[in-house]
Amino acid sequence: MKSKRDLFLWGMIALMFFASAFIYDLHTMKSYGGNRIFGVSYMTMNNPFYTVIQNELVKVVESRGDRLVLRDPMLDPDKQSEQIEEFIKMKVDGIFINPVDSITIEESLQEAKDAGIPVIVIDCPMDTSKSTTSSIYSDNFEAGVLWAKDLASKFEGGNVALIKHSEVRSGRDRIEGFLYEITNYPQFKVVNEAECFGQTELAMPAVLSMMEETPDIDFIMYLNDPSAMGANAALQYLNRDDIRVYGVDGTPDFKEQLTRSSSAEATVMQMPYDMAKIASEQMYRALQKDKVEPVTVIPVKLLDRSNLDVKALREWQ
């Protein structure tokens, strides 16, 4: 009888131990982010820059036992608003947003704020918003300034064309930075402009049309590398390897073009790994009620053949 009673007591002790451990694990997971769900919506997933950010966010979130729900509005601001409202109905713990159009989605973001959901803006700053928790983006104005300074340091002058995405703040800032700085170098003249929404497949016909209108173009400035890649295809088709092309991002594809004879002249590197790291840090700080930086601007750097690391061609910075 004594042995059975002892066995029963030890069994109860073991059960209490495992129950306590289970309760502790639940508390720890809740304290450190376990089982949380986050929504994320980029303006489009048809851009390798956002794929890199997404992959890094997934690594951080899943390492904490949490989950990330991805939605792609495909450059449709109304669809992105619907996605934000979907996240609210899902009662997500936080939202990462890369805005298609900051004005259109503001009402939905306000609903998220009213629901107590922190919103972290990635890559593209909002024009004006009181609904977001933190914004992390590159120094886009400086990217355009670096374009102009590089042009002036390498070339005596010429005609410039601009390929833009004016609906988003990041795209506007890059062009505005260039136009601001290029006024110091009157030997360069902007002769044509076109929109491409940052998409490769739209950049090519835009360039073909521009070349018909103004065939004496010497330089084309692209708001990002994917659109610059579309330009290179158009220029190859026209046999215009004399035109120099600038981009922004630092994609492996654009860097590879810098290793050989091509229209690619330079790109301004963004730091998607840093962007994802900081965005996730700010999200978890917000959830823990710690101090959050409202704005983090990440420095940029111009990359051309003179400072290209050929050992890291397939890598992002």
Side-chain angles (χ1 to χ4, degrees):
M1 287 291 292
K2 184 177 180 181
S3 61
K4 290 183 177 179
R5 185 170 61 250
D6 290 344
L7 187 63
F8 175 77
L9 290 173
W10 280 112
M12 290 298 293
I13 291 171
L15 182 62
M16 291 174 64
F17 173 81
F18 285 116
S20 298
F22 179 72
I23 293 171
Y24 175 80
D25 286 343
L26 285 179
H27 173 73
T28 302
M29 288 177 70
K30 185 175 181 181
S31 299
Y32 290 93
N35 293 331
R36 285 179 169 139
I37 299 177
F38 301 102
V40 57
S41 175
Y42 303 95
M43 66 174 71
T44 174
M45 289 307 294
N46 187 24
N47 186 327
F49 183 73
Y50 299 130
T51 301
V52 175
I53 294 176
Q54 171 66 7
N55 290 341
E56 290 304 302
L57 282 181
V58 168
K59 289 179 184 178
V60 174
V61 167
E62 292 188 349
S63 72
R64 290 172 171 258
D66 298 332
R67 187 160 63 95
L68 197 62
V69 178
L70 172 65
R71 294 290 183 266
D72 182 359
M74 296 181 287
L75 295 171
D76 185 337
D78 293 326
K79 183 175 291 186
Q80 189 168 57
S81 292
E82 293 172 2
Q83 291 168 357
I84 295 169
E85 291 168 6
E86 177 191 1
F87 293 149
I88 297 170
K89 291 178 182 178
M90 291 172 61
K91 296 183 179 180
V92 298
D93 295 279
I95 296 173
F96 297 97
I97 194 78
N98 168 239
V100 177
D101 176 357
S102 60
I103 297 175
T104 302
I105 66 172
E106 176 61 24
E107 183 176 346
S108 297
L109 291 181
Q110 183 61 50
E111 292 177 15
K113 181 180 179 180
D114 294 341
I117 301 173
V119 175
I120 307 298
V121 179
I122 298 177
D123 180 50
C124 183
M126 303 282 287
D127 289 317
T128 57
S129 177
K130 297 181 180 180
S131 307
T132 58
T133 306
S134 181
S135 297
I136 300 93
Y137 52 88
S138 300
D139 192 342
N140 293 297
F141 190 89
E142 178 65 13
V145 170
L146 291 176
W147 278 346
K149 289 183 175 179
D150 192 70
L151 268 183
S153 69
K154 294 177 178 176
F155 305 101
E156 295 182 358
N159 293 327
V160 181
L162 306 176
I163 298 293
K164 310 181 296 179
H165 185 183
S166 298
E167 289 189 1
V168 297
R169 172 78 178 273
S170 56
R172 293 199 303 273
D173 284 351
R174 293 167 194 174
I175 297 299
E176 288 175 7
F178 174 77
L179 294 174
Y180 172 83
E181 183 64 24
I182 206 66
T183 58
N184 295 317
Y185 312 103
Q187 64 270 34
F188 294 95
K189 181 181 179 182
V190 176
V191 297
N192 209 334
E193 304 178 16
E195 298 283 344
C196 78
F197 300 97
Q199 301 298 292
T200 301
E201 65 274 14
L202 298 179
M204 184 174 182
V207 170
L208 292 175
S209 177
M210 289 174 64
M211 295 305 299
E212 286 186 12
E213 299 169 1
T214 47
D216 56 343
I217 291 172
D218 301 297
F219 311 99
I220 306 179
M221 325 306 286
Y222 290 84
L223 81 144
N224 64 8
D225 284 355
S227 57
M229 298 300 292
N232 285 351
L235 295 177
Q236 289 174 10
Y237 173 78
L238 295 172
N239 196 26
R240 290 293 305 271
D241 56 2
D242 57 308
I243 297 176
R244 312 312 301 158
V245 168
Y246 284 74
V248 173
D249 279 337
T251 64
D253 287 341
F254 195 95
K255 290 197 292 186
E256 190 277 331
Q257 291 215 0
L258 290 173
T259 66
R260 53 187 174 84
S261 177
S262 72
S263 295
E265 181 61 35
T267 185
V268 177
M269 295 185 294
Q270 296 199 87
M271 313 298 178
Y273 295 111
D274 290 348
M275 198 171 290
K277 177 177 179 290
I278 297 170
S280 58
E281 287 175 351
Q282 296 304 311
M283 175 63 79
Y284 282 105
R285 289 182 68 84
L287 292 173
Q288 294 165 7
K289 308 302 181 183
D290 292 338
K291 181 181 178 182
V292 174
E293 292 295 332
V295 175
T296 302
V297 180
I298 301 175
V300 293
K301 178 182 177 182
L302 188 126
L303 176 72
D304 63 8
R305 289 173 176 82
S306 69
N307 61 350
L308 179 68
D309 182 0
V310 295
K311 296 180 181 179
L313 290 180
R314 304 314 302 173
E315 299 176 6
W316 286 79
Q317 301 303 311

